[in-house]
């Protein structure tokens, strides 16, 4: 529809027709700002993670909250993902609507309406699977009470969450987690499916200490699984053990390796979501360290860019761009200026911006680009395009109803939906 951010349409256009309009970002055919995904990087990252999981013998349930895009969910599932991880009951409903058949709700399900919404899906669609978390006896009681009022074909599978002191949800000690697991195992309508945690919160300036802390946390999860199995608490056909954000998933894969000799098969589940697009900021730095540990060829490639136009050159060392906090994430870091291009020029590819170009401030709809001394101050003009990388994909995707997929020449090939 007209008014959809990033699209240049003046009258309604079927989404399937977007890729045949002949639009090219560098020609200035779209509205600006515009968020785009490079297809070659997406395809590469999908294959990279699929091969990583096969190599390490782990299962992938990527965190869908990163993109909330049904087309990208489908691509991840087609490339070996076992499930999609989500963060809320409404996200579960969206995924089910677009035919995701198995989800892991990596959050505490406590609101009555949310519990009923998830149980309604399981009741009405018995082939749909949803794993939920618990980290307290009160949480277990709320789940059990709600399930007993529903007639489900099978019990609700629950993962007990182990947390970190001073961080977000999760039992603070293994002893607390084991106590919750015992109650889950004995609760009506529930079944203990495994244990879960999130190691990605262990990020400080001391990388060696972070890695030691991650390994210790993963060892606690492994010990919990072994102890619970020794007490015959698990009731599902297999045992799930899950962690793995986008920073340390290689350590998780190694930490969960070799779990044998238990009463039933163990499924190690990684939940990294940002691998799909990576970024030019925080994850790129962390993944560079992962690449060094993994030592297995080229790592993940950044796929997500936000392009805007120079709308003002009010001072020699300053350019104001047509994007802001409504368009690009800024919680981890401000966007990174990468490229410039003059629409209509003969250059087939954008020009890399020189060192010293920096976005140092953003308002709702303006970005402040500082320009170093040199030719760039004269060559960058009103109407030129600037392409930026971002830091933390999650908080850029949620600002767009549609993102445009492009080939390596920046030709628009399709539009991808998000549902936040």
């Amino acid at each position: 529809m007209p008014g959809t951010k990033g699209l240049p349409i003046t009258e309604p256009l079927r989404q399937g027709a977007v890729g045949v309009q002949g639009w090219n970002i560098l020609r200035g055919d779209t509205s600006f700002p515009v968020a785009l995904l490079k297809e070659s990087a997406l395809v590469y990252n999908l294959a990279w993670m699929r091969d990583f999981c096969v190599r390490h013998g782990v299962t992938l349930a990527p965190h869908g909250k990163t993109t909330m895009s049904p087309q990208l969910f489908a691509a991840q599932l087609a490339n070996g993902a076992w499930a999609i991880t989500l963060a809320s009951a409404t996200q579960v409903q969206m995924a089910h609507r677009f035919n995701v058949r198995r989800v892991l709700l990596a959050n505490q399900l406590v609101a009555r309406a949310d519990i009923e919404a998830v149980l309604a899906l399981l009741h009405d669609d018995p082939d749909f699977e949803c794993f939920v978390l618990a980290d307290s006896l009160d949480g277990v009681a709320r789940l059990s009470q709600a399930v007993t009022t529903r007639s489900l074909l099978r019990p609700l599978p629950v993962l007990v969450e182990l947390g970190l002191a001073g961080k977000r949800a999760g039992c603070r000690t293994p002893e607390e987690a084991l106590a919750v697991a015992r109650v889950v195992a004995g609760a009506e309508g529930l079944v203990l499916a495994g244990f879960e945690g999130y190691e990605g919160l262990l990020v400080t300036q001391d990388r060696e200490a972070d890695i030691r802390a991650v390994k210790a946390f993963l060892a606690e999860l492994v010990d919990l699984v072994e102890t619970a199995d020794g007490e015959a608490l698990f009731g599902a056909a297999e045992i799930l053990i899950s962690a793995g954000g986008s920073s340390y998933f290689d350590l998780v894969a190694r930490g969960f390796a070799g779990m044998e000799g238990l009463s039933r098969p163990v499924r190690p589940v990684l939940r990294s979501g940002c691998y799909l697009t990576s970024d030019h900021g925080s994850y790129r730095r962390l993944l560079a360290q992962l690449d060094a540990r993994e030592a297995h060829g080229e790592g993940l490639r950044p796929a997500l860019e936000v392009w805007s136009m120079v709308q003002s050159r009010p001072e020699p060392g300053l350019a104001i761009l047509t994007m802001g906090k409504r368009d690009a994430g800024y919680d981890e870091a401000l966007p990174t200026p990468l490229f410039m291009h003059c629409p209509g020029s003969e250059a087939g590819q954008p020009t890399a911006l020189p060192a010293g170009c920096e976005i140092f401030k953003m308002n709702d709809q303006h970005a402040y680009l500082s320009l170093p001394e040199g030719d760039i101050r004269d060559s960058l003009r009103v109407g030129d395009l600037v392409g930026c990388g971002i830091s933390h994909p999650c908080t850029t995707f949620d600002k767009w109803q549609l993102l445009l997929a492009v080939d390596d020449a920046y030709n628009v090939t399709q539009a991808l939906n998000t549902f936040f």
Side-chain angles (χ1 to χ4, degrees), residues 5 35-38 42 63-73 76 273-279 303-306 326-329 331 390-404 416-420:
K5 188 166 65 168
L36 59 88
L37 292 166
K38 290 186 171 179
L42 289 177
H63 216 317
K65 72 175 176 61
T66 299
T67 69
M68 289 305 294
S69 170
Q71 294 100 325
L72 295 177
F73 290 178
Q76 291 172 305
C274 293
Y275 82 90
L276 182 58
T277 64
S278 191
D279 70 12
L304 176 59
E305 296 174 4
V306 177
R326 302 293 180 100
D327 312 302
D331 56 318
I390 53 84
S391 186
H392 195 195
C394 298
T395 54
T396 294
F397 271 96
D398 67 358
K399 294 170 174 54
W400 297 87
Q401 292 179 308
L402 286 176
L403 294 91
L404 299 182
L416 304 175
N417 304 88
T418 68
F419 291 86
F420 285 94

Side-chain angles (χ1 to χ4, degrees), residues 240-376:
L240 269 60
I241 181 170
S242 177
S246 295
S247 304
Y248 304 113
F249 57 81
D250 63 317
L251 299 180
V252 174
R254 294 188 182 93
F256 290 168
M259 295 187 65
E260 300 176 351
L262 301 182
S263 65
R264 63 206 70 200
V266 176
R267 182 182 293 278
V269 179
L270 305 184
R271 302 196 308 276
S272 173
C274 293
Y275 82 90
L276 182 58
T277 64
S278 191
D279 70 12
H280 288 88
S282 58
Y283 281 120
R284 190 172 196 176
R285 291 188 293 273
L286 289 167
L287 288 173
Q289 298 167 21
L290 183 151
D291 293 342
R293 296 192 300 266
E294 185 68 9
H296 198 84
E298 182 186 0
L300 297 166
R301 299 174 182 173
L304 176 59
E305 296 174 4
V306 177
W307 282 72
S308 60
M309 187 167 281
V310 177
Q311 64 173 312
S312 179
R313 286 296 317 275
E315 301 168 15
L318 178 64
I320 303 298
L321 309 181
T322 60
M323 74 170 190
K325 295 179 179 179
R326 302 293 180 100
D327 312 302
Y330 56 93
D331 56 318
E332 294 285 350
L334 293 173
T336 300
L338 302 172
F339 308 114
M340 61 172 287
H341 188 79
C342 177
S345 69
E346 295 182 359
Q349 288 293 318
T351 301
L353 285 166
C357 290
E358 178 186 15
I359 291 178
F360 64 93
K361 181 179 178 180
M362 287 201 302
N363 301 140
D364 282 357
Q365 319 238 210
H366 299 81
Y368 297 65
L369 174 63
S370 65
L371 305 173
E373 296 282 354
D375 294 342
I376 186 66

Side-chain angles (χ1 to χ4, degrees), residues 4 22 58 70 94 104 109 120-121 137 144 150 155 167 243 245 251 260 281 343 356-357 362 398 407:
T4 300
V58 294
M94 187 282 278
L104 195 164
L109 185 62
L121 292 179
L137 302 186
S144 179
R150 283 278 183 176
K167 303 296 182 180
L251 299 180
E260 300 176 351
C357 290
M362 287 201 302
D398 67 358
D407 63 18

